[in-house]
Amino acid sequence: MARTRRRSRRTAVAAALAAAGLTAALATGCDAVDRALDCVQTADAIADSVTALQQAVEAADDPARLRDSLDSIEDDLDRIGDKTDDTDVDQAVDDLGRAVENVRTAVENGDATPDISPVTDAAGELTKVCTP
């Protein structure tokens, strides 16, 4: 009888530990899924901002529009940077941030049609690393 109680207690303890482990794994898994979804949504917003930047460069008549597009990309980068701890995403965010800063510098120096290909390339890389 004592042996049965010990076995029951062990079984109960093992079941409790397994349930706790499963709960932790599910919570962590959901958190990772949420972060990936945030990454994808923000990368999509960045893609829209890059499209707006391309249109502003093509129009070449409104430096304020260029700056607004760059600001929008930077805001999105701040949002995604705050939500991830993935090194690939962090690197892509950093690369895109540098590309945006280079375009901003060119615009501030009077270039109405700066080369934005580094921005589009970096945005493509961010989209790639954000895709689950």
Side-chain angles (χ1 to χ4, degrees):
M1 186 88 141
R3 194 175 267 217
T4 304
R5 257 189 258 165
R6 274 191 226 148
R7 198 174 290 162
S8 293
R9 234 182 273 157
R10 283 186 194 156
T11 302
V13 169
L17 289 173
L22 181 60
T23 301
L26 287 175
T28 301
C30 289
D31 191 38
V33 169
D34 287 343
R35 276 194 305 244
L37 186 57
D38 287 341
C39 185
V40 169
Q41 290 170 340
T42 305
D44 187 46
I46 289 171
D48 291 342
S49 297
V50 170
T51 299
L53 177 63
Q54 287 172 324
Q55 292 168 347
V57 168
E58 288 168 5
D61 62 350
D62 190 358
R65 186 171 160 196
L66 281 170
R67 284 190 289 279
D68 289 345
S69 295
L70 294 168
D71 290 345
S72 178
I73 294 169
E74 286 178 333
D75 290 345
D76 290 336
L77 288 175
D78 288 344
R79 236 186 333 275
I80 198 170
D82 292 342
K83 292 182 180 180
T84 187
D85 58 0
D86 183 282
T87 56
D88 292 335
V89 173
D90 286 340
Q91 183 62 50
V93 166
D94 290 346
D95 291 346
L96 183 51
R98 277 190 296 280
V100 166
E101 190 56 39
N102 290 339
V103 170
R104 183 180 300 283
T105 299
V107 170
E108 288 171 357
N109 289 334
D111 188 350
T113 57
D115 177 15
I116 63 166
S117 60
V119 173
T120 57
D121 293 346
E125 183 62 26
L126 178 60
T127 299
K128 187 169 77 173
V129 298
C130 280
T131 305

